[in-house]
Amino acid sequence: QQQQQQPSSPPEQGLNPDPAFQPNPQPPLDLPSPPKIYLVLSRRSGALEVYQLPDMDLIFACTSLGIGHPLLSQDPEHAHEGGTPEGGPSATSGAGVSRGAAMMDHPAARVVELCMASFKPASPGSVASCDRPVLLAMTASGNLLAYQAFDRGGCSRRATAHMQRAQQQQQQQQQPQGTGQQGPQGDVVMEEVNGGKVADVVGEGGGSPTLTEESGDQRRVPLANALAFKRLPLDWTSHQEAAQGGTMGGIVSTRLTRFSSISYVDPDKGTPGPKHSGFFICGARPMWLFACRGTLVPHPMYLDGTVTAMTPFHNPNCPFGFIVSTPSVVRVCNLPARERLDTPWALRKVRPPGGLGTVHRIAYIREYELLAAAVSRQVPLRSPFPPEEPGGDPHAAAAYAAAAGAVETSRRQEVHEVRLLDLPALAPVGLPGPAGFAAMEPGETVTALKSVRLTRQDMPSPGYGSAQPDAATFLAVGTSMALGEDYPCLGRVALYRLERASGSSRGSAAGQASKGLPRGAGGWRMVLVAQRDMAGPVAVLQDFKGMLLVSVGKTVETYSLRASPAQPNPSPPASSLARESGISTAAAAAVAAASASAARGSNLSLVKAAFYDMPLLVTSMAAVKDFLLVGDVHHGVSFLRYNDTTKVLEGLSRDFERHDVSSTGFIINAQKLLFAATDASGTLWQYEYVKNHPLSWNGQRLLPGGSLYIGHPVTKLSSIKVASPDGLNRHALLLGTHSGGFGIWSPVWDKESAGRLQRLQPLLDRALSHTGGLNPRAFRRRHLKLPRAMGGGETYGPQGPPEGVAAGEEMLARASKNLVAETGSCILDGNLLWRFATLPRDQQQQLAHAIGARSPDQVMADLSSLALANTL
């Protein structure tokens, strides 16, 4: 504009002597359009207004931000408000303030902090971020609302344009001629709105309306209401305490911080990793919100406690880092290296080193901070098949000879080994040669791997008059050897002691770091201390009261560790060891000598102490104190106890429903012990042992407490500590499924809280709009429709009386149901209950009033307490 206002100067002499000469016009520069800047504000009444700067054009307004509706659309009264008239922004939305005051009758729904931003990849190395603007709002009650802007699309705009065009044509027929004009490009209708004009251009092909801008003080406003906000359902909601100084005059610290280009530096390559952008929520329960794939992925961060402030920080000593301030310390940090943060859980994928083979099973050894992995790989032929005893079946002998001939021809065979790996790099830390790993026999497969703590039953520890021997950590390996259908499948249990190459049996990786040694310095040695042949394949290994618990077929056996005459294994020659391991002959001789010395100290044996026969096949076991919970493949679960006086395993109770149990576990709720089991159909079952209850048949029957269908077969149940507010002993179960999913099965310790959630669940079944009309109540009972052959069942919760039963039996069934209600052992649907946090405030108020709660904040406090107690 300044160049246009300057007077044009005459051309200099000599530069353009020919007046007819005109220079070639230069093509216009393709300059990027300047970024649009918006002002987002929330009024005390809860009204949300979005202005475009610098003209302060009101482009969006609604009156229900703090309510938390799933969709925020523009109010009809603000659809044609263009610009800001005299009197400031408040004069434009006076009607909206009055309406918002009528709707915002809940003080806890008042918005105290607001932030809106959009995230685009800053560089090719950035993660796929969120282009559409995201709006975050923190209410006075600490509830976090997340919305994402979107365009309603051309369909709604065309429909609105055609409707307004029809209205304008009706007005033209009633008004004198000359009001409207028709141009060659289509019908143009001009309408005065607040001193400005809006042009609706509808092309011949019925295209969408376009926006025009008049000269002077007339400003451009949207004709159709195309802007809206939809609520983002966060998997983890940060319910913080109410903001201090909730009034507009109070001082409220900033808790919503936007960050961008935060990354890490690869320790091996020295290059920065993918750059992340998003929001950081400060406060007593800080949380990351990473923008990726068009949404926000939450990750709570409770390690450092309360975080008062956070800011990105880029420095040569801390590239692409950030600074976190706590009440007592300021930390300069980087994101963890090689960790994916665009998944529901922070994920790190580590590729095993080359040559390790296929990993089948892993076991974490806590005392040494190592990982044991059972692997299989193809190696050159080490040893031929053992010769078959004569006099056997000719067909079996021919099959065995064919398998041995195939191995001899290819000169390669598949071997199973147990390797020691360092964390978190998964680098092998075993010594070179056979002493650094455990090699199985030809045809032997590792079926169980467990780190156990066993005691010497024949050697009590001295000192302090204690009769209990010291427990030592061993690596227990269970194997199976299948030689074909004509031979019985056998098994073996082997115990290995881990030792440093320096000879320290109690040295750990943490101790190496404290001594200034690198992790795995000197290598680790696996020493075979005891082994025992079994009559079948080993399925489960578990330590139990200082003994080893082994399941072979349908039998549960306990073994004690005792002394025996030393039986050292013969060491291989140094020449063959050097040829197989690729080391020098001198080093191989040293390794062979160390292996022989260690084998001479292996003077322990496993002695059978007790056993118990299950109906068909043992699939899982769980132990706590003197009790065992054993799952059978087709006959449910059994509750056992070990009698220290008689040294036998006694059966206390069992489940008479024939479930295909895949895993078992204990849920500890202070003084109450609950039994958990999962079956092959993907259903969770919960039981309780009440000996004096009439329906327990004098304790012989486990009382069912409930069931829940999750749709995925569970393969593992692991016990985790629950940090309950009262500090009592409580343990939940962390479950893993076949499809790679995780879940937490946690007890509810507060009876009042359990009652409120139990009354809330059926109301949410009917109040929520479910996807595709699929009601979760019917889904959670899907196992009732499955046949028993596929792992289904016939009962749900306490079994009711059949048709034609006596009145006394019906009273007993009702008593069983009342028992479940009183003990709180029914399984609640956490996925359904957590949807309460995404409901609007008015709907939350109605549901809270229906279940007898004081306010929605009381229900949110119950859910938040459970979430915090089960945070890993």
Side-chain angles (χ1 to χ4, degrees), residues 161 165 185-190 198-204 206-212 223:
R165 176 172 173 266
Q185 297 180 354
D187 298 335
V188 181
V189 180
M190 307 299 296
V198 176
D200 177 15
V201 180
V202 182
E204 297 177 355
S208 2
T210 57
L211 301 178
T212 62
L223 175 65

Side-chain angles (χ1 to χ4, degrees), residues 398-413:
Y400 189 84
V407 172
E408 288 287 346
T409 303
S410 62
R411 305 300 299 175
R412 297 187 65 84
Q413 63 180 164

Side-chain angles (χ1 to χ4, degrees), residues 169-180:
Q169 289 179 355
Q170 293 178 0
Q171 294 178 3
Q172 289 178 4
Q173 294 176 2
Q174 299 176 1
Q175 294 177 359
Q177 297 182 358
T179 305

Side-chain angles (χ1 to χ4, degrees), residues 144-183:
L144 180 65
L145 304 176
Y147 287 91
Q148 189 174 37
F150 72 97
D151 189 356
R152 289 192 171 183
C155 295
S156 62
R157 282 186 285 184
R158 284 194 297 267
T160 305
H162 283 293
M163 183 178 59
Q164 293 185 1
R165 176 172 173 266
Q167 294 177 357
Q168 294 293 339
Q169 289 179 355
Q170 293 178 0
Q171 294 178 3
Q172 289 178 4
Q173 294 176 2
Q174 299 176 1
Q175 294 177 359
Q177 297 182 358
T179 305
Q181 299 179 0
Q182 182 175 2

Side-chain angles (χ1 to χ4, degrees), residues 78-95:
H78 296 83
H80 297 286
E81 291 184 359
T84 302
E86 297 181 0
S90 60
T92 327
S93 55

Side-chain angles (χ1 to χ4, degrees), residues 123-460:
S123 62
S126 302
V127 298
S129 56
C130 182
D131 295 340
R132 291 186 292 174
V134 177
L135 174 67
L136 292 184
M138 183 75 70
T139 62
S141 61
N143 192 18
L144 180 65
L145 304 176
Y147 287 91
Q148 189 174 37
F150 72 97
D151 189 356
R152 289 192 171 183
C155 295
S156 62
R157 282 186 285 184
R158 284 194 297 267
T160 305
H162 283 293
M163 183 178 59
Q164 293 185 1
R165 176 172 173 266
Q167 294 177 357
Q168 294 293 339
Q169 289 179 355
Q170 293 178 0
Q171 294 178 3
Q172 289 178 4
Q173 294 176 2
Q174 299 176 1
Q175 294 177 359
Q177 297 182 358
T179 305
Q181 299 179 0
Q182 182 175 2
Q185 297 180 354
D187 298 335
V188 181
V189 180
M190 307 299 296
E191 178 184 5
E192 294 187 1
V193 178
N194 294 333
K197 291 185 179 180
V198 176
D200 177 15
V201 180
V202 182
E204 297 177 355
S208 2
T210 57
L211 301 178
T212 62
E213 183 174 341
E214 299 295 331
S215 59
D217 296 335
Q218 300 169 353
R219 296 167 183 173
R220 183 178 60 183
V221 296
L223 175 65
N225 182 17
L227 179 62
F229 292 86
K230 69 174 182 179
R231 188 169 178 180
L232 294 178
L234 299 179
D235 293 339
W236 189 284
T237 307
S238 178
H239 305 291
Q240 303 191 15
E241 300 177 356
Q244 301 294 330
T247 60
M248 297 299 294
I251 300 176
V252 181
S253 60
T254 302
R255 289 177 288 178
L256 305 180
T257 305
R258 184 188 186 276
F259 65 87
S260 61
S261 299
I262 289 183
S263 181
Y264 61 87
V265 176
D266 194 305
D268 297 334
K269 301 179 181 179
T271 58
K275 299 179 177 60
H276 296 272
S277 302
F279 298 97
F280 185 85
I281 315 299
C282 302
R285 303 166 191 171
M287 181 174 64
W288 294 86
L289 293 177
F290 292 98
C292 59
R293 295 186 178 93
T295 185
L296 297 177
V297 179
H299 288 291
M301 188 185 72
Y302 295 158
L303 296 180
D304 296 331
T306 302
V307 174
T308 57
M310 178 269 181
T311 182
F313 179 70
H314 180 62
N315 186 272
N317 298 323
C318 182
F320 307 104
F322 58 95
I323 299 177
V324 173
S325 174
T326 63
S328 58
V329 67
V330 176
R331 302 180 184 273
V332 181
C333 314
N334 271 114
L335 290 179
R338 301 171 184 172
E339 192 160 317
R340 292 191 57 180
L341 301 174
D342 56 346
T343 55
W345 287 27
L347 174 65
R348 180 178 182 184
K349 293 185 178 181
V350 181
R351 184 185 299 274
L356 183 63
T358 303
V359 180
H360 297 278
R361 281 172 173 79
I362 59 174
Y364 178 63
I365 309 173
R366 185 185 303 273
E367 289 75 13
Y368 303 106
E369 299 181 8
L370 296 176
L371 192 69
V375 301
S376 64
R377 60 194 181 99
Q378 292 285 340
V379 298
L381 182 61
R382 292 180 177 178
S383 58
F385 276 34
E388 187 182 13
E389 297 181 0
D393 181 65
H395 176 74
Y400 189 84
V407 172
E408 288 287 346
T409 303
S410 62
R411 305 300 299 175
R412 297 187 65 84
Q413 63 180 164
E414 183 182 14
V415 297
H416 286 254
E417 302 170 344
V418 177
R419 296 275 182 171
L420 296 180
L421 306 177
D422 190 11
L423 290 176
L426 294 186
V429 293
L431 288 174
F437 63 94
M440 303 295 107
E441 297 292 335
E444 195 174 20
T445 305
V446 177
T447 56
L449 190 64
K450 181 76 173 179
S451 174
V452 296
R453 290 184 61 83
L454 307 180
T455 57
R456 292 277 300 275
Q457 302 295 329
D458 57 346
M459 184 186 299

Side-chain angles (χ1 to χ4, degrees), residues 541-737:
L541 293 174
Q542 177 73 36
D543 50 351
F544 175 66
K545 296 180 66 65
M547 298 181 294
L548 182 63
L549 203 63
V550 183
S551 71
V552 180
K554 68 172 186 177
T555 306
V556 179
E557 302 175 350
T558 59
Y559 290 88
S560 60
L561 195 62
R562 298 179 181 273
S564 65
Q567 298 178 0
N569 296 328
S571 301
S575 58
S576 61
L577 179 61
R579 183 175 61 257
E580 294 179 2
S581 305
I583 58 179
S584 61
T585 305
V591 171
S595 177
S597 176
R600 284 192 296 269
S602 305
N603 55 350
L604 300 178
S605 62
L606 292 172
V607 180
K608 183 185 292 188
F611 71 95
Y612 186 86
D613 287 335
M614 293 291 292
L616 190 59
L617 177 65
V618 177
T619 57
S620 63
M621 293 187 297
V624 57
K625 293 186 177 181
D626 297 339
F627 304 106
L628 286 176
L629 188 64
V630 185
D632 192 88
V633 68
H634 286 311
H635 293 268
V637 296
S638 299
F639 182 43
L640 312 180
R641 181 184 63 181
Y642 181 76
N643 194 330
D644 290 326
T645 304
T646 59
K647 306 296 183 181
V648 296
L649 288 172
E650 302 174 348
L652 297 180
S653 182
R654 57 167 296 190
D655 172 35
F656 287 88
E657 296 291 336
R658 295 188 175 182
H659 301 303
D660 301 342
V661 178
S662 58
S663 57
T664 55
F666 291 100
I667 299 178
I668 303 175
N669 191 3
Q671 301 297 329
K672 187 177 298 183
L673 186 64
L674 303 176
F675 311 135
T678 63
D679 60 12
S681 66
T683 306
L684 310 181
W685 297 91
Q686 184 171 306
Y687 306 94
E688 187 175 1
Y689 177 70
V690 184
K691 184 177 181 180
N692 298 327
H693 196 272
L695 292 181
S696 66
W697 305 342
N698 197 19
Q700 297 182 11
R701 174 176 177 262
L702 291 175
L703 293 180
S707 64
L708 191 74
Y709 178 78
I710 62 175
H712 302 276
V714 177
T715 58
K716 183 66 176 178
L717 292 176
S718 299
S719 179
I720 58 175
K721 179 72 174 178
V722 176
S724 56
D726 52 9
L728 297 180
N729 182 29
R730 291 185 174 88
H731 285 78
L733 292 176
L734 178 67
L735 55 92
T737 66

